[in-house]
Amino acid sequence: GIRGEEYTEFLETAKMYQYAVSLHWASAQIALGAIDVMPTNTLERCFFVCTMMWGFLFGSTLVSTLSAAMIDYQMTQKDRTVKLRTLRQYLRENNLSPAIAVPVQKQVEQRLAQRDPLVEKDVAALALLSPELRQQLHFEIQHPRLVTHSMFRLWISLDLKMTRRLCRKAVSVVNLRAKDDLFSAGLTASSAYVVMSGSMTYTQQPDSAPVHHETNTCVDTEAWLCEAALWVE
């Protein structure tokens, strides 16, 4: 408790100091701050109060941030769990053999653990852009890949606006994962492709290509595939 002499001395101090002490005490109750070391003047009291309030704000912000991160993680895990549970139910209801069910489940689990790069349709804020600015943005993103082909370099030098419109309507991004097929033998070549990152394997079989045995060719970054689609229908 407070001794009578101390209480009397406190009442004899300046009003500003009394208010500072009261604010200090109230802040300590909010921020759970210990007040074993007592300030001796108004300035020290105010500084102590400010630091305690800063600690309170920092602590509450830290707690809320951690809580939001945990909730986000739980929602992500819940979505993953629901997808896997639905997949297992689907495989079970169709009486699939383990020879196919296990690889399917394993690949789905691996791909759920990966994050795909964002594409334009994933960014809802881009819908707020004007058509002209969105067209310019799309062209700037695809420009480094387009200029690797001599035909597009020529078009850009002849008519930049026309090339931007063409890029907006005809150029898109396809994200592939390991063991995905970009195209298969016998399909119509409706699009040309350029490898933006990573590498691919182009496989030719004797029954669909002029080779005597299976041939694998590595396709590196900035290499073009199915260029014939640029020239013919």
Side-chain angles (χ1 to χ4, degrees):
I2 301 177
R3 292 179 301 178
E5 296 84 358
E6 294 178 351
Y7 182 72
T8 303
E9 291 177 359
F10 175 74
L11 292 178
E12 293 176 353
T13 58
K15 294 293 184 181
M16 184 64 183
Y17 183 73
Q18 294 181 26
Y19 280 115
V21 171
S22 302
L23 180 60
H24 180 192
W25 182 87
S27 301
Q29 309 315 304
I30 297 175
L32 302 179
I35 52 175
D36 294 331
V37 179
M38 299 296 293
T40 58
N41 55 55
T42 303
L43 183 60
E44 290 179 0
R45 288 270 182 194
C46 293
F47 179 78
F48 204 92
V49 168
C50 291
T51 54
M52 278 202 306
M53 293 304 295
W54 172 254
F56 172 72
L57 292 175
F58 176 78
S60 58
T61 302
L62 180 62
V63 170
S64 61
T65 302
L66 291 176
S67 300
M70 292 177 63
I71 292 174
D72 183 63
Y73 176 76
Q74 289 176 351
M75 293 297 293
T76 302
Q77 290 298 107
K78 180 180 179 181
D79 180 66
R80 181 177 182 273
T81 303
V82 169
K83 289 180 179 178
L84 290 175
R85 186 188 302 123
T86 305
L87 173 64
R88 295 191 190 100
Q89 180 180 350
Y90 173 79
L91 297 175
R92 187 168 53 253
E93 289 178 354
N94 287 276
N95 298 317
L96 294 175
S97 65
I100 184 65
V102 172
V104 167
Q105 185 173 330
K106 184 177 180 180
Q107 188 173 96
V108 169
E109 290 176 351
Q110 291 175 345
R111 297 193 172 192
L112 283 175
Q114 301 172 353
R115 188 182 70 84
D116 289 332
L118 289 175
V119 294
E120 188 172 327
K121 65 180 180 180
D122 298 327
V123 186
L126 293 180
L128 302 175
L129 298 178
S130 64
E132 181 66 23
L133 184 56
R134 191 166 182 177
Q135 178 177 284
Q136 293 180 17
L137 173 65
H138 186 82
F139 178 75
E140 287 300 318
I141 293 174
Q142 307 302 334
H143 181 266
R145 266 71 66 179
L146 293 177
V147 295
T148 60
H149 198 287
S150 56
M151 183 187 71
F152 289 106
R153 289 199 300 270
L154 176 62
W155 284 358
I156 291 172
S157 62
L158 293 177
D159 194 337
L160 180 58
K161 290 185 178 180
M162 182 276 294
T163 309
R164 283 178 176 172
R165 291 195 298 270
L166 176 67
C167 178
R168 182 75 182 97
K169 294 181 178 180
V171 179
S172 60
V173 177
V174 179
N175 291 317
L176 299 178
R177 296 181 177 181
K179 299 182 180 180
D180 280 353
D181 292 329
L182 180 60
F183 54 83
S184 302
L187 298 179
T188 302
S190 58
S191 303
Y193 303 94
V194 57
V195 181
M196 298 171 58
S197 62
S199 62
M200 304 176 64
T201 301
Y202 179 65
T203 303
Q204 294 174 289
Q205 302 284 354
D207 58 348
S208 59
V211 294
H212 298 292
H213 54 83
E214 181 178 309
T215 305
N216 295 319
T217 305
C218 182
V219 183
D220 294 320
T221 304
E222 297 187 355
W224 284 80
L225 298 165
C226 304
E227 288 186 69
L230 297 174
W231 317 105
V232 295
E233 290 190 27

